[in-house]
Structures are given as structure tokens and as C-alpha cells.
Amino acid sequence: MKIVSDITAIMTGMWITWKHIFRRPVTIQYPEQKRTPYPRYRARIVLTRDPDGGERCVACQLCSAACPVDCISMQAAEGVGGRRYAEWFRINFSRCIFCGLCAEACPTLAIQMTPDFEICERDIMALVYEKEHLLIDGCGKSSEYNYYRHAGIGVTQPRGTGNEERLPVDVRGLLP
Amino acid sequence: MCEDCCPDMEQTLFYILAAVTVVATVFAISEKHPVHAIVYLVTSFFALAALFYLLAAPLIAMFEVIIYAGAIMVLFMFVIMMLDLGHPENSARPGFWQWLPALLLAGATLVALGILMSNRISIPDKAAVVSIRDVAVMLFQKYGVAIEIISMQLLFAAVGAFYLGRRGKQ
Amino acid sequence: MSYDPIDIGIMFAKIALVFFVILTLAAYLVFAERKVLAWIQDRKGPNRVGPFGLLQPLADLIKLLTKEDFRPAGSDKWLFYLAPAMAAIPAIMIFSVIPFGSPVTLFGHQVQLQVADLNVGLLLFMALSAIAVYGVALGGWASNSKYALLGSIRGLAQLISYELSMGLALVPVVMLARSFRLSDIVNAQEGCWFIVYQPVAFVIFLISIAAECKRIPFDLPEAEGELVAGFHTEYSGMRFGLFFVGEYINIIVLGGLAATFFLGGWHGPLLPPVVWFSLKVLAFAFLFIWIRGTLPRLRYDQLMHFCWKVLTPLALINVLVTAWWMVLRG
């Protein structure tokens, strides 16, 4: 009988919802109870430094290009010894969707995401973060990585002395 | 209800409701927009139902609202909403030949009313409340055959509607 | 019958009491619905305004009153403004015929706990619920919006269809009580509730009133998933609030009627009659909330087929069987 099975189905559903009335709610009462997000949680973006204390960001614009909402902008500049850096670096957090594509795109691991998600402001312009707000004194994730040690250019060390790097070929020499 | 109401209040109520009925009906006729006309007509039915109630016929009052205001007018409105009627407020006024039947009927009603008022037929001051039991006995014993014929007709109509509305044979 | 100032005073007091209790209860029913739905979904529900969120209805009221009263372009001004009242007022008027307690004696006067004991009370309920259709229909039509119009057309068809099965489910009750007067119907159930004699009629009535107050699984006129908000899509502020409160008043009133017709009204052992009546009404309200937390929405053709092909024939057969049974028993 179809009608019997239909009524049984409805009654089963009613019984299940009845049982759920007496379950403990899974709600976390946010401002009073806070859960700690995992370390790889994607929230507020920071610019990190390398282990030597120099800025990691080389202002290559890759994060800006990867950003789907175009909230990252910067101006590249070159310092002494050919070290590139961002003259200014700006992230508009009122547009940011925290997708993490910028952090994935970054070749120097400069731009990284932190678990700090509480960045509400009353004034929307306060969500435009400049370089001095973004730059932190630390390495963030992958604390040993230093881009210039692998890059093969003579900024932090003479050419040929970096990691996994051979001496440059002497173009004036006759040996192969 | 009639017997437990002071006569002054009853009369005042009667005149108010009668005025509402007449005015709403006139608006229902003169209004060009069908939905507005329906709203006026429903107001008129409602006032009429209250009049019936004052005149000690509660059953008719309720049926007036349930059947006319609650079913027939709702069906009218359903059809008006389903069909796109364009802009009836821009349409032309009805011509003389469309007015003629209405004028004739209105004339006949007025003449009948005049005769009634000139003859001064004595109308009982207070009508006895007709109980539902009386109505039921009257319908199903005195006019039982008529009721059965009407219900057979309705049954035929329902069967016909089912026949017309059935899906095509697969 | 002469009019005593005390009688008139008691009358007004009863009306004021009914208004106050119904409106407060409707507001708290909204709160209760949010709470119970939250529990069913393993949440906590509103708990910020006041202790346990008990002042939430007040906050909602303030919010609704201070919102902009918006009227869409091209809408029909007067009908748009009138429709919410046309939806809410008949709902609260139905309560005037429901007896909510046994008669009590006050200042030496016999006072019936019922605003108006009409001899056509049941028919008045049918008439007013037929009138309530206009609020839904005109509100949606006057909004000049396609979603609202679709919602109101659905509402029209649904409400007049289910009114039929509701009316037919009440015929056996009238036959058993031999009266349209609601106090007579309640008194006829002193020994045995009508649900014992008429379980089928009770189920049909229950399903029909769920459709009449546009609750899930019959909330087609305001189906959020398909029609934004159905017939009240374009309403804001207190006009939306009237539609909303009207629905909850409808739940209370129809629950009260179901209790009156099938569960013996205010009859019950031990507890005072008013408490019994309130308990039955609240049980129906809880049942509706519970059903809302469980069942999905029907499809529109299923809704109409269910009414015309299942409920109405069943109700007719039930009437016939009851009539035969009464004739055979004499």
C-alpha cells in the first residue's frame, strides 16, 4: 500500500525532527566564545620579511594580477644593489574576498594569509591597508625561505654563491 | 439581532448599511477597472449580508458572504488576474443599445418600488428569527423534490466538467 | 433584553482582552517558531534581546514600525494600502465566535467567555475565511510585480479549494452536534470528543487548515524558493508586518477552531477550562511549527490534485458514512 508507506515516511521524518529538538545546539556564541582558527586559515593578509629581516616583496605585480577583485595595488621601486621593493603597497580589505590566490601567486612568499579574521571597521576607508599596516616583522609560514638566496642575482650575496647555484660562466674564458 | 437590540440603533444601522450598499453598487457599475469594480461589489455584498442579519435572517447573511463574496467574486477575480485584459480604463463608453436592457430593468424596478410604496403594504415590524432548523425542514421536506432535481443538475454539470477537463487519451 | 452598563463594560473588556491576548500571542508565536525551528536544526535561535531572547518580538515590532513604507511604481495605491488590513482583520474577527472557557459569574452576571455566541458561528467562520482571500489576492495584484501576482493567483486557487474540503470536514461535526452554534458544539463534546467519532474528518480539517493559513507544506502562495516572497514581495514595514502577524493570528484562530470542533473546546479534567483551551491551541501551534521543520513544499499541481482528488471525495464519503450511521442508530 502506497498510502501506508507515505504516512510511515512522514511519521519517520517527524520523529527525527522531534529527536533533534532535544539535541545540544552546535552554535558557538561568537563574541563571547571564540574558536581558534587553524594556522592555515585564510583571513587578514600580511607582507612578511625574510629571515635576514629584509622585505620579501619584490613588487612583481603577480598578486595584483591574480586578484579576482582587483583589491591589490602597488608601485615598484629599486633600491641599492638592485633589490626591488614596493614603494607603496595597498590592499583594499573592503573588496578582498579572502580567496588566497595572491598568496598562491607570490613567488617570494611575501604575501601571506593569517588566521586573524576580526577586521571590522565602522569607516569603510579604514579598511584600506597601506604598506606600513601590512608589513610585519616576521617570516610567517616557511620561516627559512629567502628568495634572493635562490634567485641567482647578486643582491644578498655575490653571483654564484647562492643555494643550488653554480658560478657564472666566464664568457671571456676559452674553456668550455 | 432584532429582538435584543434597541430600535433606534437598529434603524440607524439599517440606513447606514443601506447607503453603503447602494453607493458601493453604483460605484461597482460605474467603475471601469474590473478589479476595483469587484472590490466595490464585495463591499456591497458585505453590507447586504449585514442587512440580512439585521432583518433576522442570519443563514442568508452568511450564505451571501460565503457564496457570493467568497466564491463567485473570487472566481471572477481569478479569471481577471489570469487573463491580460489590457487597459479597460481607455476603452470606449458603451453605446445606447448596451444601455437599453439595463435601463429597462432599472425602470421596472423603480415602477415596482413606486407601486409598493403607494399601496403601503403593511410590513410586520419585527420579523421572527428564522432558525436554521426551520430552513432545513422547509428545504428538505416541503421542497425536497426541487432540491433533488437541482442537485442532480449540479451533478450533471460536475460530470460534464470532468469530461471536458480530462486529459487526452494516451 | 435590557442593556446594563456592566454588561456593555464586560463586552468591551472581553473584546479588549481577546485583542490583547491574540496580538501578544501572535507576536510570541513568531518568536516560538524561530526558537523551535532553531532547535530542530540544532541551533539556538534568537537569544540576544532580553533574557532568553524573550524581548525579540518587541525588537521586531520596533524594526517593522521604523522601516520605510514603500510603494512600488505603477502599483494600485488604495488597494496596495488596504490589502494587509483585509488579510489581518478577518483572521482576528473569527476569534469572536470561539468559546475559550466555560461561563463564569462576574459581579452577579453570567459571563460567557466568548465574544459573540452566534447561532451561525460556524458559518461566520467559513464566511470570514472566504473574505480573507481578498487580502492575499488584492495585495499581490496591486503590487504590480510578477512574483506577487503569481503568488496571489496561487493563493486564490489554493484558499478557495481548501475551503471546500474544510467545510465538508465540518459537516459531520454539525451533524453530531446538531447546531452551528460553537458553544453547542463544545457542550456536545462534554462526554466524548468528536475526534473519537470523526478521526477522518479531523485529519482532513487539519490538512485543510494548514493550507488555509499557508503553512509549509502548502506555502505555495509565498514560496521563498521560487517567488521571492509571493504575494507580499513588494511590502515593507508595518504593512508587511500586518500580513505576517495575520498569518500567525490565523494559526491561533484555526488551532482554536480545531480544538473547538474536534478536541472538546475547553473541556478537560482537573485544569481550569481556559487553561485547557490555551493548551490545545498551543499544541496545534506547535504541531504546525513542527511540520514546518520537517516537510518540504509540495508542487503546485500536487497541491490542487490532493485537494480535489483526495480530500474532497474523502470528506464527501465521510459525510455520507456519518449520515448512514446516524440514521441507522436513530
Side-chain angles (χ1 to χ4, degrees):
Chain A
M1 285 285 275
K2 192 158 185 306
I3 186 163
V4 175
S5 67
D6 287 354
I7 291 173
T8 323
I10 290 175
M11 289 303 158
T12 316
M14 300 280 277
W15 172 241
I16 286 172
T17 43
W18 174 260
K19 279 192 296 185
H20 271 265
I21 289 179
F22 305 103
R23 286 231 185 134
R24 270 172 69 84
V26 295
T27 314
I28 293 169
Q29 294 286 310
Y30 163 60
E32 292 91 31
Q33 305 169 2
K34 287 178 187 170
R35 58 193 272 197
T36 328
Y38 291 102
R40 295 176 66 90
Y41 193 89
R42 294 203 310 259
R44 184 167 62 87
I45 297 170
V46 291
L47 288 175
T48 54
R49 290 175 188 276
D50 58 29
D52 304 336
E55 285 174 33
R56 270 175 171 168
C57 179
V58 293
C60 65
Q61 310 275 358
L62 277 179
C63 52
S64 177
C67 182
V69 290
D70 289 341
C71 67
I72 305 177
S73 54
M74 73 198 75
Q75 172 73 54
E78 203 161 309
V80 278
R83 184 174 180 129
R84 280 167 58 92
Y85 66 99
E87 194 175 357
W88 49 264
F89 194 103
R90 188 175 296 145
I91 296 181
N92 186 349
F93 278 110
S94 65
R95 291 178 74 174
C96 180
I97 57 171
F98 302 100
C99 62
L101 289 180
C102 50
E104 279 178 33
C106 186
T108 66
L109 300 186
I111 192 162
Q112 290 186 6
M113 308 197 80
T114 61
D116 173 27
F117 57 89
E118 295 174 305
I119 47 171
C120 288
E121 296 286 351
R122 284 208 169 266
D123 177 20
I124 198 164
M125 293 314 285
L127 283 170
V128 179
Y129 276 42
E130 295 293 342
K131 189 176 173 183
E132 63 262 30
H133 309 124
L134 293 166
L135 194 62
I136 58 165
D137 290 330
C139 305
K141 290 166 259 192
S142 21
S143 51
E144 281 99 53
Y145 184 69
N146 189 337
Y147 171 74
Y148 286 107
R149 299 253 182 254
H150 305 267
I153 50 175
V155 174
T156 49
Q157 74 277 352
R159 292 193 65 190
T161 58
N163 298 348
E164 309 117 34
E165 191 186 355
R166 279 180 285 173
L167 281 172
V169 176
D170 181 9
V171 292
R172 294 206 171 80
L174 289 175
L175 289 173
Chain B
M1 188 130 311
C2 243
E3 73 273 6
D4 56 350
C5 204
C6 39
D8 285 345
M9 193 172 124
E10 197 188 319
Q11 268 197 349
T12 322
L13 263 179
F14 174 83
Y15 284 120
I16 294 172
L17 288 168
V20 168
T21 313
V22 171
V23 170
T25 313
V26 167
F27 271 122
I29 295 167
S30 58
E31 178 65 58
K32 274 187 176 174
H33 203 294
V35 174
H36 292 183
I38 283 181
V39 173
Y40 283 124
L41 203 53
V42 168
T43 316
S44 155
F45 282 146
F46 215 70
L48 202 59
L51 274 182
F52 275 129
Y53 194 85
L54 273 184
L55 295 174
L59 199 64
I60 298 177
M62 289 307 139
F63 283 151
E64 177 90 23
V65 177
I66 294 174
I67 296 170
Y68 287 98
I72 294 179
M73 286 291 111
V74 170
L75 283 181
F76 269 53
M77 195 144 80
F78 187 75
V79 172
I80 287 168
M81 285 183 179
M82 287 285 280
L83 306 175
D84 189 12
L85 288 178
H87 291 277
E89 58 270 22
N90 299 337
S91 62
R93 293 173 64 84
F96 175 72
W97 289 107
Q98 282 156 307
W99 277 102
L100 191 63
L103 285 178
L104 284 178
L105 287 177
T109 315
L110 282 179
V111 169
L113 200 65
I115 292 170
L116 268 182
M117 283 170 77
S118 61
N119 280 2
R120 296 192 168 277
I121 300 167
S122 65
I123 298 163
D125 265 0
K126 293 204 165 172
V129 180
V130 185
S131 77
I132 300 160
R133 198 175 295 269
D134 296 342
V135 176
V137 167
M138 183 77 92
L139 274 182
F140 287 101
Q141 288 188 344
K142 197 172 173 192
Y143 300 110
V145 178
I147 293 282
E148 283 307 313
I149 291 172
I150 291 171
S151 58
M152 288 300 278
Q153 269 194 337
L154 286 175
L155 184 67
F156 294 154
V159 171
F162 273 122
Y163 181 75
L164 290 175
R166 90 210 141 113
R167 303 239 171 118
K169 287 183 190 121
Q170 269 84 30
Chain C
M1 183 170 145
S2 62
Y3 273 88
D4 197 328
I6 297 180
D7 270 340
I8 294 175
I10 288 173
M11 194 72 203
F12 275 104
K14 274 197 289 194
I15 294 174
L17 182 81
V18 164
F19 255 88
F20 176 75
V21 170
I22 294 274
L23 289 176
T24 318
L25 201 60
Y28 273 92
L29 207 56
V30 180
F31 172 71
E33 168 145 45
R34 291 172 65 183
K35 265 298 200 205
V36 174
L37 278 184
W39 290 334
I40 286 177
Q41 294 158 2
D42 292 345
R43 295 185 285 117
K44 284 192 173 172
N47 63 351
R48 291 280 149 181
V49 193
F52 306 106
L54 277 173
L55 297 179
Q56 185 71 38
L58 204 65
D60 288 345
L61 180 76
I62 292 169
K63 186 196 81 173
L64 285 173
L65 281 174
T66 50
K67 282 227 168 177
E68 184 190 359
D69 186 15
F70 178 77
R71 186 171 71 84
S75 60
D76 193 303
K77 189 176 176 191
W78 285 108
L79 288 184
F80 186 81
Y81 284 162
L82 216 64
M86 285 164 101
I89 289 173
I92 202 164
M93 270 171 75
I94 295 174
F95 203 88
S96 61
V97 292
I98 301 177
F100 49 89
S102 60
V104 293
T105 311
L106 220 67
F107 310 117
H109 288 250
Q110 179 86 355
V111 178
Q112 279 209 309
L113 289 185
Q114 180 180 15
V115 175
D117 192 14
L118 299 183
N119 58 353
V120 286
L122 193 143
L123 292 175
L124 185 86
F125 151 57
M126 296 300 294
L128 286 174
S129 64
I131 287 298
V133 177
Y134 284 98
V136 173
L138 292 174
W141 178 82
S143 303
N144 191 32
S145 151
K146 51 180 172 292
Y147 297 118
L149 184 66
L150 281 172
S152 66
I153 288 177
R154 284 179 175 193
L156 265 178
Q158 172 182 333
L159 291 183
I160 55 175
S161 302
Y162 276 87
E163 210 160 279
L164 192 72
S165 56
M166 184 169 73
L168 285 174
L170 290 181
V171 173
V173 172
V174 176
M175 285 157 79
L176 288 174
R178 294 174 186 277
S179 174
F180 281 121
R181 195 188 286 267
L182 263 65
S183 53
D184 287 350
I185 293 177
V186 170
N187 287 331
Q189 300 176 66
E190 201 170 352
C192 187
W193 295 357
F194 282 165
I195 188 174
V196 178
Y197 299 123
Q198 291 292 339
V200 179
F202 175 69
V203 170
I204 295 171
F205 186 74
L206 198 64
I207 294 172
S208 302
I209 61 175
E212 276 291 303
C213 50
K214 305 182 280 292
R215 301 282 301 175
I216 283 175
F218 304 106
D219 69 334
L220 269 297
E222 47 195 279
E224 301 87 44
E226 14 188 320
L227 293 183
V228 189
F231 59 92
H232 55 59
T233 303
E234 303 291 340
Y235 280 91
S236 64
M238 206 52 218
R239 290 182 202 285
F240 164 73
L242 267 182
F243 270 128
F244 198 60
V245 158
E247 256 166 54
Y248 286 88
I249 293 173
N250 238 331
I251 293 174
I252 298 168
V253 166
L254 291 173
L257 283 169
T260 308
F261 291 143
F262 292 100
L263 295 185
W266 41 262
H267 283 301
L270 296 175
L271 296 171
V274 182
V275 175
W276 263 112
F277 184 76
S278 326
L279 275 181
K280 286 169 187 171
V281 171
L282 292 180
F284 274 108
F286 176 75
L287 181 67
F288 282 138
I289 297 171
W290 184 15
I291 288 175
R292 179 176 173 184
T294 308
L295 296 181
R297 185 182 304 131
L298 288 179
R299 219 170 52 210
Y300 193 63
D301 58 328
Q302 291 170 335
L303 174 93
M304 295 312 267
H305 284 198
F306 187 58
C307 176
W308 288 103
K309 293 186 176 170
V310 180
L311 286 187
T312 310
L314 200 63
L316 280 172
I317 292 169
N318 189 36
V319 170
L320 212 62
V321 169
T322 313
W324 273 109
W325 182 68
M326 289 184 72
V327 167
L328 289 178
R329 280 195 54 188

